[in-house]
Amino acid sequence: MIRKSLNASRLQDEVSRRLHRIHEIVEDGVKIRVPRPQKQEPDASGCNWTMKHFGNAVGYDRFVDEVLRAVRAEYNLSDTDDAKDIHSLFGE
């Protein structure tokens, strides 16, 4: 499967969105802090980013791992930085 590319903010948002849709997390009213993705050399699967140190996630490790596994299989971290993406929205 070919991965799509997202910038750091969008990857962070996607992981957060998926986590906060999980029934158990919604039901418990937990707000998990999702860290910024960190660029790394592509691993054996070809993924070039990772996330560590989720906040307020004690007891929800299984869900965090499942979401990370799914998002890492779908997306790579793009080489463009967030500031450039903002400027491109305005045609700059």
Side-chain angles (χ1 to χ4, degrees):
M1 177 171 145
I2 297 175
R3 287 182 174 86
K4 297 172 243 171
S5 292
L6 290 179
N7 65 32
S9 292
R10 290 180 127 178
L11 272 174
Q12 187 178 25
D13 290 345
E14 181 64 15
V15 171
S16 181
R17 183 184 69 77
R18 291 186 190 198
L19 276 174
H20 293 102
R21 279 191 341 202
I22 296 172
H23 177 74
E24 290 85 343
I25 293 173
V26 172
E27 194 172 78
D28 293 346
V30 176
K31 179 68 175 158
I32 296 174
R33 188 190 62 75
V34 177
R36 300 272 296 172
Q38 300 299 309
K39 188 98 170 169
Q40 66 178 16
E41 288 298 317
D43 61 16
S45 73
C47 184
N48 71 347
W49 62 276
T50 189
M51 285 183 174
K52 298 178 182 175
H53 312 297
F54 285 75
N56 203 33
V58 174
Y60 300 97
D61 298 334
R62 177 175 62 94
F63 300 117
V64 170
D65 290 343
E66 289 171 3
V67 167
L68 266 183
R69 191 174 314 115
V71 177
R72 291 183 80 233
E74 292 178 45
Y75 297 101
N76 262 338
L77 181 59
S78 67
D79 291 330
T80 61
D81 65 9
D82 296 331
K84 287 181 185 174
D85 290 342
I86 290 170
H87 292 301
S88 68
L89 292 174
F90 301 102
E92 297 175 2

